[in-house]
């Protein structure tokens, strides 16, 4: 009920759907996660700065999640196209976790899976300074 029509079909057909979230209060966990400096949680006093760091780091962790799933032979379907506020209300109520993106997991039907997308040459979108 939270996804766009096309994504809702994919979600219903998948055996597993993961919500990749971001904890906006992650800095409170830093004394345990980064014990080298017990003042680390004080490095992020600005809520907007924390949000940006949380989004970036949850995106990286989500990417690792996808790579690990694919390394195990699973197909993944990472997607936007959903109502973040509804997902947050249904799955993360009373927390400071917010949804970043969704990924389905399973063994897809080869006839319905997109083929590999084009890989433009490096120079098209990158430059070395």
């Amino acid at each position: 009920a939270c996804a766009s029509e096309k994504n809702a079909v994919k979600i219903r057909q998948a055996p597993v759907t993961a919500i990749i979230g971001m904890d906006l209060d992650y800095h409170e966990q830093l004394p345990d996660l980064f014990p080298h400096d017990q003042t680390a949680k004080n490095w992020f006093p600005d809520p907007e700065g924390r949000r940006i760091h949380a989004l970036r780091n949850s995106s990286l962790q989500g990417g690792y999640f996808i790579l690990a799933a694919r390394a195990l032979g699973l197909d993944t379907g990472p997607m936007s196209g959903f109502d973040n506020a509804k997902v947050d209300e249904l799955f993360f109520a009373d927390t400071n976790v917010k949804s970043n993106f969704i990924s389905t997991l399973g063994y897809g039907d080869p006839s319905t899976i997109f083929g590999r997308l084009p890989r433009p040459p490096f120079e098209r979108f990158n430059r070395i300074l």
Side-chain angles (χ1 to χ4, degrees):
C2 300
S4 67
E5 189 175 324
K6 283 187 175 186
N7 285 347
V9 171
K10 295 173 189 176
I11 291 168
R12 283 193 297 273
Q13 291 176 343
V16 174
T17 300
I19 303 167
I20 308 302
M22 54 184 172
D23 182 356
L24 299 180
D25 286 332
Y26 68 88
H27 64 295
E28 296 295 337
Q29 305 302 319
L30 289 177
D32 293 327
L33 299 175
F34 191 74
H36 316 300
D37 188 336
Q38 290 296 301
T39 66
K41 76 178 206 169
N42 301 325
W43 297 348
F44 306 97
D46 175 46
E48 180 57 20
R50 282 197 306 268
R51 190 195 67 74
I52 292 167
H53 283 281
L55 177 63
R56 182 175 300 117
N57 284 297
S58 70
S59 297
L60 288 167
Q61 292 297 319
Y64 294 137
F65 169 81
I66 291 166
L67 286 171
R70 289 179 177 171
L72 293 171
L74 293 164
D75 293 310
T76 61
M79 63 185 81
S80 296
F82 65 94
D83 185 328
N84 290 76
K86 283 184 184 178
V87 168
D88 296 347
E89 182 181 323
L90 286 169
F91 295 96
F92 302 123
D94 301 323
T95 74
N96 214 12
V97 175
K98 304 295 179 195
S99 55
N100 181 347
F101 67 93
I102 290 174
S103 184
T104 55
L105 294 168
Y107 299 102
D109 175 354
S111 69
T112 65
I113 296 175
F114 292 121
R116 184 176 173 149
L117 297 172
R119 298 298 189 255
F122 178 85
E123 299 77 21
R124 182 166 175 195
F125 296 106
N126 301 280
R127 65 182 174 154
I128 298 174
L129 302 174

